[in-house]
Amino acid sequence: MRFFDSEFLKNVVSDSDTRHQQVTAGRFEGKIKRIILPNIVIDHGEYNLKLIAQGAFSPNTVTLMIVHRMDETGKVCGADLTGGNLIVLPVHADAEFTIPQHTIWTAINVPKAHLAKYGFQVETTQLFILDKISFHQFNQTYSNLEAQLSECKESPEVLQDMILSHFIQTIESLDDKLELRYSDGYLMALNVRDHIIEHIVEPLQMYKLCQLTNKSVRTIERTFKQIFNLTVRDYHAYYRLSLVRQTLIHDKNTSVSNAALKYGYLHLARFSTNYKKLFGELPSQTLRRT
């Protein structure tokens, strides 16, 4: 994947419906892989740039996710996220991730009923911190899985049992667990984000956010950045540019000016400059490619 397309990434974790935004400048490159076994689906992703992902995970499966690499601290539901963390998401989970550049992750998607056969129940989103030995073992298990699939050394049923058993055994042995509960600050940041999205074609006016939350500008800015690692204004700008990009990619009948005007850009030259700064190409180049 050699250019950013939020629509392509919405189902990057099986059966999910997530919205992605590119939030650092440059040409996006991603490596996406999916392994389908009899009862589980394993997704693997690598990104060269920083993204924000938010939305609903599968209504049918529990998602067991490991972060193999994360060069700087990210976020999941407002909590710090680093390499060597495990995230467990129940069915119907809503989650927000801030994903730093050069992140590598794997997600194992398991039907709730199949997971229950192992005596493992998941009702809340949880974050686990692996020690170095467990982290190394996890990375080795994933590498061995790929090798055994390519060489057909074991049946798919045996391989999925091996990886699930290892995952569950590791989780049950860990003491360092955090249940991700929605703090007041996190809920306020989500409220601000939803307002921005709902009014994205309008200029950002901080006094409206103060009225919405009954908080000061300083409190809103500080809390929002703690949750999303972005300022409110940067979030607004990046989200609006991402919407224009999706229109240019997927609407065959649009033009650059129509796509820009649709999302409230009145100064096309300034818009084109900001678009190129974020995505590494002019909007006309995006349109020609698609």
Side-chain angles (χ1 to χ4, degrees):
M1 183 178 181
R2 294 196 171 272
F3 70 101
F4 180 74
D5 180 358
S6 180
E7 186 68 21
F8 181 85
L9 290 171
K10 69 182 295 184
N11 192 32
V12 68
V13 174
S14 178
D15 206 21
S16 65
D17 185 11
T18 51
R19 181 173 57 237
H20 289 71
Q21 294 169 245
Q22 179 179 324
V23 292
T24 49
R27 288 184 178 272
F28 176 80
E29 291 187 10
K31 295 180 181 179
I32 309 298
K33 184 184 300 182
R34 175 163 291 168
I35 300 171
I36 300 175
L37 295 174
N39 293 297
I40 67 175
V41 177
I42 301 174
D43 294 306
H44 180 82
E46 303 179 27
Y47 309 135
N48 71 321
L49 296 178
K50 182 178 179 180
L51 303 179
I52 287 179
Q54 56 209 36
F57 282 75
S58 173
N60 304 306
T61 61
V62 174
T63 300
L64 313 173
M65 183 178 291
I66 180 169
V67 180
H68 300 284
R69 171 181 172 178
M70 193 169 271
D71 288 353
E72 59 185 69
T73 302
K75 293 284 186 179
V76 54
C77 299
D80 286 347
L81 184 66
T82 62
N85 284 173
L86 292 177
I87 307 103
V88 179
L89 297 151
V91 295
H92 289 292
D94 285 312
E96 292 74 28
F97 287 83
T98 300
I99 309 167
Q101 60 187 7
H102 306 304
T103 291
I104 303 174
W105 57 266
T106 297
I108 304 169
N109 307 285
V110 192
K112 185 176 181 180
H114 187 72
L115 202 57
K117 294 178 181 179
Y118 292 80
F120 191 70
Q121 303 287 339
V122 179
E123 302 298 337
T124 60
T125 300
Q126 299 172 352
L127 176 67
F128 297 85
I129 301 171
L130 291 174
D131 56 55
K132 289 184 178 179
I133 294 176
S134 298
F135 183 44
H136 174 75
Q137 289 174 342
F138 249 105
N139 287 333
Q140 193 64 45
T141 298
Y142 181 75
S143 298
N144 290 342
L145 172 69
E146 289 195 306
Q148 289 175 330
L149 281 171
S150 63
E151 296 170 10
C152 298
K153 288 186 174 180
E154 297 284 359
S155 70
E157 290 83 1
V158 170
L159 289 175
Q160 76 173 14
D161 181 70
M162 287 170 55
I163 196 165
L164 271 181
S165 297
H166 180 245
F167 206 115
I168 293 167
Q169 183 179 359
T170 301
I171 288 175
E172 290 178 340
S173 70
L174 295 173
D175 296 323
D176 206 347
K177 176 180 77 172
L178 174 66
E179 289 200 12
L180 300 183
R181 302 185 183 279
Y182 291 175
S183 65
D184 290 342
Y186 179 69
L187 292 173
M188 187 198 75
L190 293 187
N191 200 13
V192 169
R193 181 206 66 190
D194 291 344
H195 179 87
I196 290 172
I197 291 171
E198 185 178 349
H199 300 276
I200 194 64
V201 299
E202 303 170 10
L204 179 65
Q205 296 176 296
M206 290 301 297
Y207 82 87
K208 291 185 177 180
L209 298 180
C210 294
Q211 291 176 335
L212 176 72
T213 61
N214 199 29
K215 301 292 183 183
S216 67
V217 171
R218 182 182 179 188
T219 298
I220 293 170
E221 288 283 14
R222 184 183 70 247
T223 306
F224 195 89
K225 191 163 187 178
Q226 285 175 346
I227 300 303
F228 292 108
N229 278 356
L230 283 176
T231 67
V232 173
R233 293 196 180 278
D234 281 347
Y235 186 94
H236 179 270
Y238 294 150
Y239 187 74
R240 193 156 63 135
L241 287 168
S242 294
L243 290 176
V244 177
R245 184 173 180 83
Q246 292 309 110
T247 301
L248 293 174
I249 292 172
H250 295 287
D251 186 349
K252 296 180 180 179
N253 298 316
T254 196
S255 65
V256 170
S257 59
N258 285 343
L261 289 170
K262 179 180 178 180
Y263 292 105
Y265 289 102
L266 303 179
H267 303 284
L268 295 183
R270 190 185 308 161
F271 155 74
S272 294
T273 298
N274 291 335
Y275 186 97
K276 184 177 182 180
K277 188 182 296 183
L278 179 59
F279 296 115
E281 63 183 14
L282 290 168
S284 56
Q285 291 174 299
T286 304
L287 189 62
R288 281 198 300 270
R289 185 195 300 117
T290 57

